[in-house]
Amino acid sequence: MNAKVVICHYEHPRVDQEREILEAAGFEVLAHRVPTEDDISGLVADADALIVQHNKVGPRVIDAMRRCRIIVRYGVGYDNLDTEYAARKGILCCNVPDYCVDEVSDHALALILALTRGIVRYDRAKGDDDFNYPRAAPIRNSRDTVAGIIGLGRIGSSLARKLAPIGFRLIGTDPNVDAQAMGLLGVEKVELETLCTQAEVISLHCLLDARSRGLLGERQFAMMRPGTFLVNTARGPLVEESALVGALRAGRIAGAGLDVLETEPLRPDNPLLGLDSVILTPHAAWYSEKSIVELKRRAAHEVVRVLKGDKALNPVNSPTT
């Protein structure tokens, strides 16, 4: 089959695995590290499929593609794709939602424990005269701590299964998951406002879209308890960063563990860098050697399925033409 697949703006060192799968299916593969919509638009005119990581794919890119049938986003989130516009143009969009589930939930768990046990506060105090247990006080027992999970999909559910045996009392909110399903995970279903007022640890695991952008802002931080910790391993813009900084500086919440930020990569003037109550990691929650392989292979196989005429496993839109 004479089809062309373009791979754009990937952060992996190579695309050998994708190339092997796609070329074995008879497709031509072109890989480019291009950063802008203008750059991509000049490369995809005759592409039958597009695999992207961080590139924004909006109307400009979509209109430039004369025969594209599928766009696959490397990863779970797909907020960089204009899926509705693509659907109107007859282009299927897919993601890879079932990789890195353990990696991200492990990372969230690690951040939660590092915050609630004062690990980083102790480490930053090493060498000081008062390097002793009160340096991170007060520390609560996990069985006396309420953990709130926002988003009970694959990753949020995985985190719940890891937190429950440690002893955290779990509450959660997700409009797409009913109370019975949450109950099977040991999670009490509540509204967002209730979660913000009751939880002492809040962990974000929802997709970013128009409804969830800025989900946690000044109003929500004002509801939280002074000892609350926030963990975000999902998407940076779920949180209004200026409101978070204000809440941390004012002591309205106790700290944050962030793998994602509103603007990435991390800018040297980001005020979060000056806050000892914040743990930052570089959008690395997804990463393990196994997860990289799974991501690359699953993205390539999705393209093969669709271009060969089979049904996609992970569509995120419904083309209308």
Side-chain angles (χ1 to χ4, degrees):
M1 180 180 180
N2 185 22
K4 179 185 288 188
V5 181
V6 174
I7 305 174
C8 283
H9 201 194
Y10 51 93
E11 62 185 20
H12 323 124
R14 295 177 300 277
V15 293
D16 296 349
Q17 292 165 320
E18 299 95 314
R19 190 182 297 278
E20 179 182 355
I21 292 167
L22 294 165
E23 290 182 347
F27 306 151
E28 178 186 359
V29 180
L30 298 178
H32 302 277
R33 293 184 185 275
V34 293
T36 69
E37 285 188 286
D38 287 335
D39 294 327
I40 302 173
S41 298
L43 298 170
V44 298
D46 58 350
D48 297 276
L50 177 63
I51 302 177
V52 298
Q53 190 162 16
H54 300 305
N55 287 108
K56 181 179 178 182
V57 180
R60 186 183 311 173
V61 176
I62 293 167
D63 285 340
M65 296 189 287
R66 296 193 298 264
R67 66 188 200 195
C68 184
R69 294 170 56 192
I70 177 174
I71 301 169
V72 178
R73 200 263 160 177
Y74 281 122
V76 180
Y78 49 90
D79 46 283
N80 57 318
L81 309 183
D82 190 331
T83 57
E84 293 183 5
Y85 191 79
R88 293 200 296 271
K89 294 294 184 175
I91 300 173
L92 179 69
C93 293
C94 301
N95 66 342
V96 186
D98 49 356
Y99 95 111
C100 79
V101 172
D102 273 323
E103 286 82 355
V104 177
S105 57
D106 283 351
H107 202 90
L109 175 61
L111 290 172
I112 289 169
L113 293 177
L115 289 164
T116 59
R117 291 300 308 165
I119 303 300
V120 174
R121 283 177 285 171
Y122 285 135
D123 180 71
R124 288 172 179 166
K126 61 182 180 288
D128 292 354
D129 291 339
D130 61 345
F131 184 53
N132 207 329
Y133 76 89
R135 187 62 180 256
I139 289 179
R140 296 183 297 271
N141 185 291
S142 60
R143 296 188 182 277
D144 298 324
T145 303
V146 179
I149 303 174
I150 300 177
L152 273 294
R154 291 178 177 87
I155 295 171
S157 296
S158 178
L159 177 63
R161 286 189 286 268
K162 292 170 182 178
L163 286 172
I166 299 174
F168 288 89
R169 183 168 81 81
L170 303 179
I171 60 176
T173 185
D174 189 321
N176 301 313
V177 181
D178 61 32
Q180 182 178 7
M182 286 196 195
L184 294 174
L185 294 167
V187 180
E188 177 189 353
K189 184 178 174 73
V190 298
E191 296 299 322
L192 178 62
E193 290 76 10
T194 302
L195 186 145
C196 288
T197 59
Q198 292 187 2
E200 294 150 309
V201 175
I202 297 174
S203 193
L204 284 157
H205 299 283
C206 51
L207 289 172
L208 176 65
D209 57 26
R211 293 173 300 174
S212 63
R213 186 176 295 273
L215 185 69
L216 298 183
E218 287 188 11
R219 178 172 175 269
Q220 288 74 30
F221 287 119
M223 298 177 183
M224 296 178 191
R225 301 183 179 195
T228 299
F229 294 107
L230 174 69
V231 169
N232 189 3
T233 55
R235 282 289 184 269
L238 293 169
V239 178
E240 292 181 7
E241 208 162 277
S242 61
L244 171 60
V245 171
L248 289 165
R249 285 176 172 167
R252 290 198 300 275
I253 66 171
L258 308 173
D259 185 56
V260 290
L261 300 168
E262 274 190 326
T263 301
E264 297 177 8
L266 176 65
R267 294 164 60 167
D269 61 347
N270 191 312
L272 291 167
L273 287 169
L275 299 175
D276 287 340
S277 57
V278 175
I279 303 172
L280 297 176
T281 57
H283 204 146
W286 63 274
Y287 167 69
S288 74
E289 291 302 301
K290 180 181 179 181
S291 70
I292 288 180
V293 173
E294 289 182 348
L295 175 64
K296 293 157 72 68
R297 293 182 63 83
R298 291 183 190 188
H301 280 303
E302 189 79 311
V303 168
V304 172
R305 273 189 290 273
V306 171
L307 294 188
K308 292 287 188 180
D310 295 325
K311 187 176 180 179
L313 291 183
N314 300 301
V316 298
N317 69 348
S318 300
T320 56
T321 59

